[in-house]
Amino acid sequence: MRLMSFALGVCLALFSTAFVHADNATQTPLTASQFEAYTTGKTLTYSRLGSEPYGAEEYLPGRRVQWAFEGDSCKMGQWYEEAGQICFVYEDNPAPQCWSFFLRDGGLVAQFENDAASAPLYEIAQSDEPLFCPGPQVGV
């Protein structure tokens, strides 16, 4: 019985992941102006489907951003539109990281286009508060 429940759970997880990829493939990504209108002035937290938070990004005026992987330090950057994708460059990595964003069920779904096989990220929280960025580690 446990094996059957486990197998059913695995099948449902695989089906839902395939469905999400198929659904995003047919949906039109947000334009740069739609993305800017949705994100500016907000801090969004992202996660992979069914996992812990992946990271958070604060969207500042002028297409500036501040990103932090969960539990990591913040990095300043900016975003721009290129070939229908939203691309980000950060202070520690000038190589563009391009994404397609979809608005689904009241939140963003982000597909990393530099590696289309990667799992999408989902908006799991939204705040009007700035991204919390602790200072450098100091001490003995």
Side-chain angles (χ1 to χ4, degrees):
M1 183 70 169
R2 285 186 182 166
L3 181 58
M4 193 164 135
S5 294
F6 174 76
L8 180 60
V10 169
C11 288
L12 287 173
L14 291 173
F15 175 75
S16 65
T17 300
F19 177 76
V20 167
H21 284 290
D23 189 41
N24 282 348
T26 60
Q27 187 179 0
T28 304
L30 294 179
T31 64
S33 59
Q34 290 169 323
F35 178 77
E36 187 170 32
Y38 182 83
T39 59
T40 301
K42 298 176 184 171
T43 299
L44 304 180
T45 303
Y46 295 96
S47 175
R48 297 207 190 280
L49 189 62
S51 70
E52 297 296 315
Y54 181 79
E57 191 145 48
E58 179 181 4
Y59 297 90
L60 303 162
R63 297 184 173 185
R64 295 176 305 119
V65 294
Q66 187 165 227
W67 165 261
F69 286 105
E70 186 67 20
D72 204 354
S73 60
C74 294
K75 295 168 179 35
M76 293 299 296
Q78 61 186 15
W79 69 268
Y80 59 93
E81 185 273 334
E82 183 173 304
Q85 298 175 357
I86 307 298
C87 299
F88 296 82
V89 291
Y90 297 94
E91 61 191 359
D92 68 332
N93 183 6
Q97 299 176 38
C98 298
W99 300 76
S100 291
F101 287 89
F102 305 88
L103 192 56
R104 294 193 51 227
D105 300 323
L108 288 181
V109 177
Q111 180 61 53
F112 188 50
E113 297 296 349
N114 294 50
D115 179 6
S118 67
L121 295 178
Y122 297 86
E123 176 188 342
I124 59 169
Q126 184 180 115
S127 172
D128 294 331
E129 297 296 318
L131 183 62
F132 175 71
C133 294
Q137 299 291 334
V138 283
V140 181

